[in-house]
Amino acid sequence: MGDRPMTVTQGQDSLPLDSPELYFNRELSWLDFNERVLELAEDGRGPLLERVKFLAIYESNLDEFFMVRVAGLHDQVDAGIDAAGADGLTASATIDSIAARVRELDRRHARAFEDVTAALGTEEVRLVACEDCDEHELRELDKAYREQIFPVLTPLAVGPGRPFPYISNLSLSLAVRLRDPVSDVEAFARIKVPKEVLPRFVRVAGCTFVPLESVIARHVERLFPGMEIMGHDFFRVTRDADFTVSDEADDLLLAVEDELRRRRFGEVVRLEVSATMDPGLRAKLVEWLEVEERQVYDVDGLLDLADLWEVHGIEGRKELRDAPWAPVPLPALEEDAFAAIREGDVLVHHPYDSFSSSVERFIAQAVRDPDVLAIKMTVYRVSDDSSLVPLLIEAAERGKQAVCLVELTARFDERRNIRWARALEEAGAHVVHGLAGLKTHAKALLVVRREGGGVRRYVHVGTGNYNGRTARLYEDLGLFTADPAICADVADLFNSLTGMARSPDYRKVLVSPDHTRRGIVEEIEATVESHRAGHDARIVMKMNSLVDRECIEALYAASRAGVRVDLNVRGICRLVPGVAGVSENVRVVSVVGRYLEHSRIYGFHRNGERRYYIGSADLMPRNLDNRVELLTPVEDAAAVAEIEDTLERCLADDTYAWDLGSDGRWSRRAGRERSVQDELMQRTLDRVSDTVSQPLP
């Protein structure tokens, strides 16, 4: 499990709540989450192409982790900031622990890839190198090389007057050792694998996939006529891809564009090399790229398996995938969303409920309704094919007040958001880029409609982005409501974001950075007081990450007071459960499965009262201090019942659930009788069984 601070398991009634023994390391906890993703790829009971998907997710997750989190640790070390964190580890010690842990996981990842490709071969889906192809396949590969690959290759030699070339972030390269037979001089050359413009896997003879770099290596002599090829191997570079835009930037959009250009030139934080690479060549790469040995990762087998999405995406072969799921429409919202919301709050749960027939349909109705006066919306991550932003453009063109708060600094979505922001501005919409120094991560939609002699406001608050593509892959909740207090709060939030005003005192919602932490801690403390008064009390939460120290201390205090605390944490969890005298009343469960568990729910039971909040904020310092986040209470009885049912199913899952122990180890449950995601698909079908007859696949 890598280097961890020791945990305390007994006799600690006087242990201070800020003791290092009571906090897992943030980065190592994230690696534990990625291990759970890897376990799904290793699980031989999963459909083969779904195992391919999890192999790809593991790799892409790890890339972002190095580009952002590990890069940040190196920045701390370079700046001389190496004080121990709450867990007792310094930044430098954390880097060492990460390196040891990643090397262990990468070896497992390589073995899992071998197992999966062998199993795919029995299903006539072959992923092989050129040397494993037959003559017919080689002829196809040679033709592809001549006609498609060779014309775009650019070999770059290193030698006198030819410095080592710049290696772009996440690029895969061939390192070639050359010798001039005339002068007997040895040299080095780099060939970039052009997977940005060509498929990473060359498909031939039906379902045989050959890595692009293998095809290039087969013909490497053609790139260096007259030279002797002494050897070749593969390497890949990961660079620091995080950036900060100055709070004093006059034009945020231009400032973000400038930083995006600089991102290509970030410091190298990881060098991956083939485990078979010649030691001398490896040493040269380390020297040229100016990395420490702890930043070098020797990889067995193929590098850059994030591109396995190409194999996962082959058409057909349903028997190798999860049974398809079609999100179920909500007829009431499709027919007249405004009437449905006036009758009572509507809770939607994606991907079980259709995003297109709920959120997208609601906005479409608002755009085309002559009585709608204004539509306001936050945009954090939207897809390239989004229908929502074009609808806002249409609203502006129809003369409605269309307001869009576009978060330009949403990491790795900056370019897409810049394009949408410009398109909205050109259509006449009001586009705002957020508050200086704060990312706007809240998921909020406000519609103002003329009704009777006045106006009525309608609101949607979600836990996930307004993104139709991810709504089919991520588990998220959304609340449609016309509750006057919540609607007034959301209207005030938009006004504070678009205008110039201090954060208001909200009626019902919790808003970061000023109110969320305080509101959550006050709810925890009120639950503790109820328990001390002799009433039944319980805290139940579902989130992506639990990092914030003050919130963790409040949960420890609740456990010490005897309150039962059930936590469903998908990813990072710094809280240590099961410590006698501190957290023996805390249970931590993680569900990782077919859909990315993404909703945030905060529940407090006391003296018969049930209080639930849903929204965009995890309990992390960045969400509570450095972002605009929004949590809304859920008060409708039917919606509360659905949330409670969902939480209990999550906690009861024994197929895709892991339990966290006080030693930091996550243990996968082995019952295989209950899967929350399967159950929620069936629950959704049961709800509409009178109109939907399809059985659960």
Side-chain angles (χ1 to χ4, degrees), residues 157-163 185-187:
V158 177
R162 295 180 174 183
V185 173
E186 292 192 8

Side-chain angles (χ1 to χ4, degrees), residues 142-158:
D142 292 346
K143 183 174 184 290
Y145 180 82
R146 289 192 306 271
E147 297 179 357
Q148 302 172 36
I149 302 171
F150 178 73
V152 300
L153 297 179
T154 304
L156 297 173
V158 177

Side-chain angles (χ1 to χ4, degrees), residues 679-695:
E679 290 183 6
L680 292 179
M681 285 188 280
Q682 188 61 59
R683 186 183 76 178
T684 305
L685 294 179
D686 291 343
R687 188 190 69 214
V688 293
S689 59
D690 55 334
T691 57
V692 179
S693 59
Q694 69 179 101

Side-chain angles (χ1 to χ4, degrees), residues 328-346:
V328 174
L330 287 85
L333 290 175
E334 284 190 309
E335 293 165 9
D336 186 342
F338 298 111
I341 298 168
R342 283 195 300 272
E343 289 182 11
D345 293 353
V346 179

Side-chain angles (χ1 to χ4, degrees), residues 9 27 30 48 69 155 166 184 199 244 255 289 306 312 332 343 352 379 420 492 523 556 574 582 591 597:
T9 56
E27 317 308 340
W30 184 91
L48 279 173
R69 297 303 310 175
Y166 173 77
D184 199 33
T244 302
L289 290 166
H312 176 267
E343 289 182 11
Y352 312 108
V379 167
W420 283 125
D492 286 347
E523 292 283 6
Y556 282 148
R574 298 196 67 188
V582 179
V591 175
E597 293 291 324

Side-chain angles (χ1 to χ4, degrees), residues 160-182:
R162 295 180 174 183
F164 185 76
Y166 173 77
I167 309 295
S168 57
N169 186 35
L170 300 184
S171 60
L172 179 62
S173 302
L174 271 77
V176 185
R177 291 172 53 231
L178 306 166
R179 188 181 75 85
D180 185 337
V182 176

Side-chain angles (χ1 to χ4, degrees), residues 37-52 54 112 115-116 119-120 123 319-320 656 668 672:
V37 174
L38 177 57
E39 286 187 42
L40 295 177
E42 295 171 322
D43 189 344
R45 292 162 298 188
L48 279 173
L49 288 177
E50 302 306 325
R51 294 175 66 189
V52 168
F54 287 117
D115 292 343
V116 170
L120 282 172
E123 298 290 343
E319 74 278 9
L320 302 181
Y656 297 108
R668 187 172 179 183
R672 303 298 187 268

Side-chain angles (χ1 to χ4, degrees), residues 451-462:
E451 293 183 11
V455 297
R456 187 193 298 266
R457 290 179 289 210
Y458 297 82
V459 157
H460 173 272
V461 175

